[in-house]
Amino acid sequence: MTDSDSQGRWGLLAAAMVIVGVAMGSLFSIGVFLAPIQASTSWSRTDISAVVLLAWVTLGIGSFLWGALSDRTGPRVVVGVGGLLLGLGLVLSSRTATVGQFTLAYGGLVGLAVGAFYTPLTTVISAAFARNRGLALGLISAGSGLGNFAIAPLVRWLITAYDWRTAMLLLGDLTWLVTIPLALVIRGTAARAARATAVTGEPGLATVVRSPQFWLIALVHFACCVAHSGPIFHMVANATDHGVGMMSAAVVFGTAGLASIMGRIATGLIADRVGAKRTLVAALALQAPAILVYVGIGGTQSFYLLAIVFGLAYGGVMPLYALITREYFGQRAMGGAYGAIYMLQAIGMGLGTFGGGYLYDRLGDYAAMFTGASAIAAAATLLSLALRSPRATFQTSSPAPA
């Protein structure tokens, strides 16, 4: 491996981190928009949560479609088109007058666009890094947490300075300015990485999806995301319901995102040494009690402390599913296989988000959401124990170390 190849891989990773950060940070910032949108419209939290549910469903469908397309064409065009659509979706969402229009613009277009980033970029990064693959996937996943940490306070400041519509309009402009130029960086390095990855003996997508282990990974990922999506999305609203100021609540949300960055990087490093399955089981085991603690806390300092623990937990699990998918099934069908798994987890994210809003509107607080989410997280932990060794699933050839 030449120095230029090494620099190209790390440059590709840096660009991917920024793109994923802006895209996922924009999507998750809807939690900051929630209360201002509700205050300025007649839409309930259930209405807005239903829009987010649709966004996650379309994100999931998009992840599968964009991932499969990326297997054939490479990620450059996919990411560029995704960036164009994401900015357009946010700009249109800022101009909507009815919840139906907002559903189409945000739930449909924004969700579909965000699906163009994480799965295709994760696929090409897994091809580019044979050595330190866990760290590389942890870093690209950390881009999502970095986006939450940076964008949530920015959105809160924009809402305070202007209003939620202007803030969302400017956020759309920002996604155009960042994602489209960076898509141009994803050129020869990505193509060379894909060509250099051996595929002899690796299963195709049709074979992968018939494997029980594929569906078990997908089910664990789905349950895990149902569990933590509600607490993430409703974090700002829950904190303000307990007397935390709006800006402080946004910083709490950003703190959880920052902690999730550390969790993603740490589990990537650990997985390179002890294996992805063991690391996943441990991270899932931390997530369930962290969610349950939300039932009994109050006060700004408590929310900050729990944001750190919960952020480490929910962030730590996220890069491990891509790593396990790569270990179990190889690179050949990585885009389609992980795209399908990511599609199911995205639906789980939407269901957890919607469930939190529905329970709040019916019961008047979030206690039931946190209790149920903790139980589902515990179930995901138990399911993860049933994952077999990757060697027992498929024998895959390994590329030369990067």
Side-chain angles (χ1 to χ4, degrees):
M1 181 186 69
T2 65
D3 289 341
S4 61
D5 287 338
S6 178
Q7 292 172 359
R9 287 182 174 90
W10 288 104
L12 174 64
L13 176 59
M17 287 178 65
V18 175
I19 293 170
V20 168
V22 170
M24 298 304 291
S26 298
L27 181 69
F28 276 101
S29 69
I30 191 65
V32 182
F33 283 107
L34 174 60
I37 291 176
Q38 185 184 19
S40 67
T41 66
S42 60
W43 310 342
S44 69
R45 292 192 186 185
T46 300
D47 292 331
I48 302 169
S49 296
V51 174
V52 180
L53 168 59
L54 178 60
W56 278 106
V57 171
T58 55
L59 184 155
I61 294 171
S63 294
F64 174 67
L65 296 176
W66 294 117
L69 181 62
S70 180
D71 280 339
R72 296 177 177 272
T73 67
R76 184 184 181 188
V77 173
V78 168
V79 171
V81 173
L84 178 64
L85 294 178
L86 177 57
L88 179 62
L90 289 168
V91 169
L92 291 176
S93 296
S94 72
R95 304 294 94 187
T96 56
T98 68
V99 69
Q101 294 172 353
F102 189 69
T103 298
L104 291 175
Y106 190 93
L109 192 54
V110 170
L112 181 67
V114 174
F117 304 110
Y118 188 72
T119 296
L121 291 173
T122 296
T123 298
V124 76
I125 291 300
S126 73
F129 289 83
R131 186 179 295 123
N132 297 322
R133 181 175 290 127
L135 173 61
L137 293 179
L139 285 169
I140 190 173
S141 180
S144 177
L146 182 61
N148 289 342
F149 177 74
I151 290 180
L154 172 63
V155 167
R156 181 63 257 171
W157 178 79
L158 289 172
I159 293 172
T160 302
Y162 303 101
D163 55 57
W164 76 265
R165 294 185 182 278
T166 303
M168 191 168 286
L169 174 67
L170 293 174
L171 184 60
D173 294 339
L174 176 64
T175 62
W176 277 331
L177 290 173
V178 174
T179 59
I180 295 176
L182 283 180
L184 301 177
V185 174
I186 307 171
R187 295 181 291 186
T189 301
R192 288 195 300 272
R195 287 195 298 268
T197 303
V199 298
T200 303
E202 293 183 348
L205 181 59
T207 302
V208 169
V209 298
R210 289 196 297 267
S211 165
Q213 294 299 299
F214 168 84
W215 291 105
L216 184 55
I217 295 170
L219 181 58
V220 172
H221 204 355
F222 171 82
C224 171
C225 289
V226 170
H228 66 226
S229 59
I232 293 172
F233 174 73
H234 295 279
M235 186 180 298
V236 173
N238 180 58
T240 56
D241 286 350
H242 285 79
V244 178
M246 284 298 298
M247 181 56 75
S248 294
V251 176
V252 166
F253 185 77
T255 299
L258 180 61
S260 80
I261 297 172
M262 296 184 286
R264 293 165 205 255
I265 297 173
T267 57
L269 286 167
I270 294 169
D272 279 335
R273 288 158 176 77
V274 305
K277 178 191 170 179
R278 291 181 179 178
T279 311
L280 176 63
V281 172
L284 287 171
L286 175 62
Q287 184 173 242
I291 293 172
L292 188 60
V293 172
Y294 272 106
V295 175
I297 70 164
T300 303
Q301 290 185 342
S302 297
F303 277 103
Y304 277 121
L305 291 174
L306 187 53
I308 294 172
V309 177
F310 177 57
L312 288 170
Y314 87 74
V317 299
M318 295 311 291
L320 300 174
Y321 297 106
L323 186 57
I324 286 177
T325 302
R326 177 60 175 80
E327 287 183 357
Y328 275 50
F329 307 117
Q331 186 66 35
R332 178 183 171 191
M334 176 71 178
Y338 185 58
I341 291 171
Y342 201 83
M343 176 175 64
L344 293 177
Q345 76 84 30
I347 294 172
M349 291 290 291
L351 288 173
T353 298
F354 174 77
Y358 179 86
L359 290 172
Y360 180 90
D361 283 342
R362 296 302 181 276
L363 303 176
D365 61 39
Y366 287 114
M369 179 193 73
F370 289 122
T371 303
S374 179
I376 294 171
T381 306
L382 294 176
L383 285 171
S384 69
L385 295 171
L387 289 168
R388 293 185 289 131
S389 167
R391 296 181 182 275
T393 307
F394 294 107
Q395 293 294 326
T396 61
S397 57
S398 299

